[in-house]
Amino acid sequence: MSAETVSGVVVGLRAVSLDFAGVPVLVELSLRAGAGDVICLRGNNGSGKTSLLRILANVARPTSGKRVGVASCAYVPATFDPVPMRVGEWLTLLPRHNRGNVSAMLDELGFDSDPAKKLADLSFGNLRKLMLAEAMTSGETLLVIDEVTAGLDARGIEATCTQLQVLAATGCAIVSADQHDRPVPHGAKLFDLVEGSLRKRPMPSPGDDDVIAVEVRVKRSRLRALDNWLRSQGETSAP
């Protein structure tokens, strides 16, 4: 574990720039994600969201600047060319030291296909749910997710947002990107990526008098951490 992680930063970018064929995509951009942070990047197509996430996920290097923090993460790209394998076989290619229950997570997300199917035979929505389930049960301290709610139905969106909040409550750092009009987990830190730079903006919220009840299924061992996190956000939990 690096000194950056010990000090509370799970992943960070320091003055990162990225050029493609001499055209600037990211310009001296800095960002830090600590334990419990949920960060969502917004931006138009071609704004550099995917490039930024790839650097955060440690699968691409910037032209200049530095990435610091944990070396490994669970990364969900926006697109994925299915390999000629069945669901179970594909999961064995992604060994995790602290793997959670993938089947339970698939049920939570509303995965409604046959796990014995080949990846290429899954619908886009079910393929996305599989990739999200793998990431959210990975046990990694950093999750990087591109187009986080793409292809999901209402159940999948709600379950994904809820589970990301649960993971943040247990100390994970989550950085995602999505389109402007798609929902994000409550309490997420929103950034617009414009002309290669990040601009922080307030999180849109329901009306002051609106109260939303959310049912969350969580292991008993994680219940106290979730309750403490909810209280830190000014929310309440039922006993």
Side-chain angles (χ1 to χ4, degrees):
M1 184 175 292
S2 69
E4 293 289 342
T5 307
V6 172
S7 66
V9 178
V10 177
V11 69
L13 302 180
R14 295 175 176 172
V16 161
S17 294
L18 180 68
D19 298 341
F20 284 143
V23 177
V25 177
L26 305 175
V27 182
E28 294 189 356
L29 183 151
S30 295
L31 177 68
R32 55 183 287 166
D37 281 342
V38 181
I39 294 174
C40 185
L41 310 177
R42 292 284 177 79
N44 297 326
N45 289 334
S47 61
K49 299 190 303 296
T50 293
S51 296
L52 176 55
L53 291 184
R54 284 174 55 81
I55 294 172
L56 284 166
N58 213 20
V59 297
R61 295 186 180 277
T63 304
S64 62
K66 186 178 181 182
R67 176 198 185 275
V68 296
V70 296
S72 65
C73 73
Y75 173 50
V76 179
T79 58
F80 173 67
D81 292 328
V83 293
M85 290 185 172
R86 303 186 189 280
V87 171
E89 294 171 330
W90 177 71
L91 288 171
T92 63
L93 294 179
L94 302 166
R96 307 286 189 180
H97 294 299
N98 298 305
R99 168 72 72 196
N101 190 326
V102 180
S103 295
M105 185 63 72
L106 287 173
D107 288 342
E108 197 74 23
L109 294 173
F111 181 88
D112 58 4
S113 188
D114 184 354
K117 277 188 174 182
K118 291 185 177 180
L119 298 184
D121 294 330
L122 296 178
S123 67
F124 179 68
N126 278 321
L127 184 59
R128 288 295 298 178
K129 290 176 181 180
L130 174 64
M131 296 170 69
L132 287 167
E134 192 287 318
M136 292 191 293
T137 60
S138 66
E140 297 282 354
T141 57
L142 172 63
L143 275 66
V144 179
I145 307 175
D146 203 352
E147 300 287 347
V148 62
T149 59
L152 300 183
D153 53 18
R155 176 178 174 179
I157 291 172
E158 181 179 0
T160 296
C161 289
T162 298
Q163 291 300 324
L164 291 179
Q165 287 178 270
V166 171
L167 288 169
T170 63
C172 288
I174 298 153
V175 185
S176 66
D178 218 329
Q179 301 298 319
H180 289 286
D181 57 346
R182 290 176 179 161
V184 298
H186 177 65
K189 300 175 181 179
L190 287 174
F191 290 85
D192 289 315
L193 184 55
V194 181
E195 296 180 352
S197 299
L198 289 175
R199 301 174 184 175
K200 189 173 182 179
R201 63 184 173 95
M203 167 69 179
S205 60
D208 291 340
D209 295 330
D210 291 344
V211 177
I212 300 175
V214 178
E215 179 181 352
V216 179
R217 297 180 182 180
V218 60
K219 292 180 179 179
R220 186 177 297 276
S221 60
R222 295 184 176 181
L223 188 58
R224 183 179 297 276
L226 175 60
D227 183 64
N228 290 339
W229 182 84
L230 286 170
R231 292 178 187 278
S232 73
Q233 300 296 314
E235 308 296 343
T236 58
S237 59

